[in-house]
Every structure is written in structure tokens, then in C-alpha cells.
Amino acid sequence: MRKMKLPQGVGQVYKLKGTRRNPYIVRKTIGFEEVNGKKKQIIKTIGYAKTYQDGFNMLMSYNSDLVKNPNETKVVVTPECKYKFKDIFDKWSKDFFPTTSKSTMNGYNAAFKGFVGIHNKLFATLKTRDYERIIADSGKNYSTIRKMKFLLNMLYKFALKNEYVDKNYAELVDISKYSNKNPNKRDREKFSKEDINKIWAMPESDSKTITLMLLYTGTRVSELLDLKKKDVNLKERYFNVVESKTAAGIRVVPICKKIYPYFESWMNRNDNELLFENKNHDPLLYRFFRDNYYEEINELLGTNHLIHDTRHTFISMCTEKSMNETVLKKIVGHANAQSLTERVYTHFDASFLVEAVDVLD
């Protein structure tokens, strides 16, 4: 179909720059607002199309729907609903973030970035189809998509409470079709004995020592990086995990003799409250450890291990040494794998756990 100049008020279909799956954008002016004393158009993006013909048909279909529902063309922008999507997020997060954990904040900030295409759109003009279109084009896995919908629900709950909108368009967003979508999923792969020997042979570094400490304790990386010196007992060779994502995660973790020198070194390195610090002498955060320390080990090995592979490897090494299954569950904090009897009645002295892990080589 030959491109044509459409009559005023019908809308626009034009091609975007760059290589895109759907290069044609379909837009229409749906109202006006006053900004600094000047009238400004409120432009709604209806969608994206593969060809001009598809975009034209989309626009005509949209206009046809407006004939049936003429009130949708009349957007009255009150001072309260002049806020853009990013403004609503900023207002909501200012209230919510001080009441939640840092990891939760990071999750919602990441979800917010997923909506970058509508950050500057007026919140009151966005509809369910706008959000579904963003999600469909995001390429994110289901876990991230679900967090994006959680964020939308939180924003609408906030906006309804403050009367910025009168309807929750997030509740109708359907993400069920993405439930099996996880393009970033990788199977767990334990470190080979050859890889572990290569790590031991590496020159001494923080990357090496912390990776080995993960491999020989079986702790989750957050449990180790959040470890406080007061919770480490060098004399008895164990440490206490006092914060974990599960109740069974609150436990005693033995320090095998093979990595004891590393715990001793970190305990005596500084006077900080936490056991670990980064190169700038600040607390060692997960992202910094992953991007700077752990990736260095992967590069030297020529591997692509996930951090959780260290925990998987510890369990495998203990199993190979015929460690008692109940003892192993206690050490790694596996709640779901324990029977009721194991959870309630089985208690082990720290020295017994230390003796159990000393078989690792």
C-alpha cells in the first residue's frame, strides 16, 4: 500500500529508524494538556506494525473502536493526573522503599527499567494493552515479567489511593502465556575436580579465597557475604548463619581445616563488623563480588559457572565422601529435604559437624 498523508485527527503511521521486527509506529493525538501556559498534545502510541499496511489497518481499527466508544477520545487532564509513569513511580517509591529491604528495592528498580518505553507517558492515559505490548516486546523471562506486573499493581494501588486514576488497568494484564519462558535459564553444573585444583593453584587473591570458601562451606553467597565477625568462632571452627531465606537456613556451618587459614586471614585483616570487604575497603556486595571477583575465576578457568554452582559442588563433594544425609542437610540448611523427625529431633554439636567436613580434600 502506498503511504499517504492522513487527514488531521485520524492519526499517524510512520517508520522508525534502525532494524526492528515491527518498524512502523502507529500514533494518535487523544487530547491536550497545558504546560507552562502552552497547549501540548497528548499522543498515544497505539502499537507497532511490520508493514505500513498493517499499521494503517491497526489505526483504522482503533478509530473504529473510538466511534463505538467516543468518550475514549476525550481525555481530560486534571492537575492530579498530569503525572507521567516515572512520576508515579518516584512518588510511590519515596513512600515504599524506606519500609522494605534493599534486595526488594533493587527488584522493583529493575522492573521499572523494563517500562522505559512509557516512562514519559501520562499515567492516566495508559491502558492494559499498553502494558501488555511493553511486556511482549521486552524479551524478559517469566520471573522478571512477574515482577513487572507486581510493580504495576503497586503503582495502581498507590494511584487509586491518591485519586490520580479511577481504574486499575494492571489487574487485567495477562502474563500467563510467559510462564514457561526463561531464556536465561541454565542448568546447574558442579565444578570439576580439575577446576577446583586449578583454583587452589592460582596465586593468592580475594577472588580465589572467597570462591574456595563458598565451595567448601556450601553457603549461599548472601549468607557468606553478610557474615559478621562476631558470628565466627575460629577456635571451634564454625560460624553461625543468623539471617537466611528459610528457617532451616539459620544454622551452624562448620569450617573445614582446608579453608580455615582463609577465615583466619579475613578475621585479622581489619576491624570491620563484616568479615569481607571489597578493594575499596567497603562492605563486599553481591553485584561487586559477582562482576569483579567471581567472573575473574570463570575467566581464568574458561568456564561459565553460576555462583550457586559452588553450593551444588559442596553437596556433591560431601555426597561422594559418603557424608550422612541428615548431617549434610543440616550443614546446607535444606528445610524441604528434611523429614519432620530430622527437623525437630536431630541436633548436632558443632564439633561433630566440623569432623564431618574435614574429610573434604
Side-chain angles (χ1 to χ4, degrees):
M1 177 180 178
R2 183 174 60 84
K3 299 177 186 177
M4 63 178 72
K5 185 175 181 180
L6 300 174
Q8 187 174 0
V10 172
Q12 298 173 290
V13 180
Y14 61 89
K15 191 173 184 180
L16 298 169
K17 293 181 179 179
T19 303
R20 303 167 184 266
R21 187 187 310 168
N22 296 300
Y24 287 89
I25 186 170
V26 184
R27 308 174 78 195
K28 181 180 176 68
T29 299
I30 59 172
F32 296 88
E33 63 175 330
E34 191 172 304
V35 179
N36 298 325
K38 296 181 179 179
K39 185 181 286 188
K40 183 179 178 181
Q41 291 175 299
I42 301 171
I43 300 176
K44 181 180 183 63
T45 297
I46 299 167
Y48 299 87
K50 191 171 185 178
T51 65
Y52 180 84
Q53 176 68 67
D54 290 342
F56 179 81
N57 291 341
M58 186 186 298
L59 181 59
M60 293 303 101
S61 176
Y62 180 80
N63 284 327
S64 177
D65 288 342
L66 291 182
V67 172
K68 300 173 186 176
N69 303 286
N71 290 333
E72 189 169 346
T73 63
K74 300 175 182 178
V75 180
V76 180
V77 183
T78 64
E80 290 76 17
C81 70
K82 283 186 177 180
Y83 296 120
K84 299 175 182 177
F85 184 90
K86 66 179 181 180
D87 298 328
I88 297 295
F89 176 82
D90 289 341
K91 287 177 174 293
W92 164 78
S93 59
K94 185 178 180 181
D95 287 347
F96 178 70
F97 280 5
T99 68
T100 191
S101 66
K102 187 171 183 179
S103 61
T104 300
M105 284 189 285
N106 290 339
Y108 280 120
N109 278 323
F112 173 66
K113 290 179 182 178
F115 291 105
V116 64
I118 56 173
H119 281 182
N120 292 311
K121 299 291 184 183
L122 287 175
F123 192 79
T125 66
L126 294 168
K127 301 290 188 292
T128 299
R129 58 176 171 265
D130 297 310
Y131 301 125
E132 290 188 333
R133 208 168 282 126
I134 286 286
I135 290 172
D137 293 340
S138 70
K140 304 295 185 182
N141 61 32
Y142 183 65
S143 177
T144 303
I145 288 173
R146 187 171 58 176
K147 179 64 75 172
M148 290 171 72
K149 184 172 180 181
F150 285 164
L151 174 62
L152 288 178
N153 283 323
M154 297 290 276
L155 295 183
Y156 270 98
K157 183 178 179 181
F158 173 82
L160 286 166
K161 178 181 178 181
N162 290 279
E163 299 183 351
Y164 298 148
V165 294
D166 56 11
K167 182 176 179 179
N168 182 356
Y169 285 100
E171 62 185 1
L172 297 177
V173 173
D174 182 13
I175 62 172
S176 60
K177 67 180 80 172
Y178 306 106
S179 59
N180 295 319
K181 183 178 181 181
N182 193 353
N184 300 319
K185 185 176 181 180
R186 285 155 49 193
D187 293 331
R188 294 175 184 173
E189 181 182 354
K190 70 176 184 178
F191 283 74
S192 67
K193 290 182 179 180
E194 182 183 3
D195 286 341
I196 296 174
N197 288 335
K198 285 181 179 179
I199 297 175
W200 279 110
M202 291 176 184
E204 293 302 318
S205 67
D206 292 347
S207 305
K208 170 186 174 178
T209 61
I210 300 176
T211 300
L212 286 171
M213 291 162 85
L214 285 168
L215 281 166
Y216 282 82
T217 60
T219 52
R220 300 175 179 90
V221 63
S222 60
E223 294 171 344
L224 193 66
L225 297 184
D226 291 341
L227 186 59
K228 295 180 180 179
K229 290 183 176 179
K230 68 180 180 64
D231 295 316
V232 179
N233 187 325
L234 282 179
K235 184 177 179 180
E236 302 292 334
R237 278 205 287 137
Y238 71 85
F239 60 90
N240 292 304
V241 175
V242 297
E243 292 185 12
S244 183
K245 67 177 188 177
T246 66
I250 309 301
R251 64 196 189 280
V252 171
V253 179
I255 301 171
C256 72
K257 57 188 176 184
K258 199 168 179 67
I259 57 166
Y260 173 81
Y262 292 146
F263 275 91
E264 184 178 41
S265 174
W266 278 100
M267 286 288 286
N268 296 323
R269 179 180 291 199
N270 55 54
D271 296 324
N272 294 347
E273 180 184 19
L274 294 174
L275 183 63
F276 298 105
E277 64 178 9
N278 63 25
K279 298 171 184 177
N280 299 319
H281 306 292
D282 294 320
L284 182 55
L285 303 179
Y286 168 78
R287 189 179 294 274
F288 189 94
F289 170 72
R290 182 195 65 191
D291 295 345
N292 295 276
Y293 291 5
Y294 196 74
E295 278 310 302
E296 180 183 355
I297 297 297
N298 265 326
E299 289 175 8
L300 292 171
L301 292 177
T303 56
N304 192 29
H305 281 295
L306 300 170
I307 294 181
H308 197 78
D309 289 347
T310 59
R311 182 169 164 86
H312 180 54
T313 302
F314 173 81
I315 294 171
S316 179
M317 290 194 299
C318 291
T319 301
E320 289 173 4
K321 293 295 183 180
S322 300
M323 181 180 290
N324 177 278
E325 186 177 354
T326 302
V327 173
L328 179 54
K329 292 173 185 176
K330 285 290 185 182
I331 292 174
V332 298
H334 273 174
N336 294 337
Q338 296 179 33
S339 67
L340 178 62
T341 301
E342 289 172 332
R343 290 198 300 269
V344 178
Y345 297 107
T346 308
H347 300 279
F348 295 106
D349 184 76
S351 62
F352 180 84
L353 299 178
V354 169
E355 184 178 345
V357 296
D358 274 347
V359 300
L360 299 178
D361 51 25

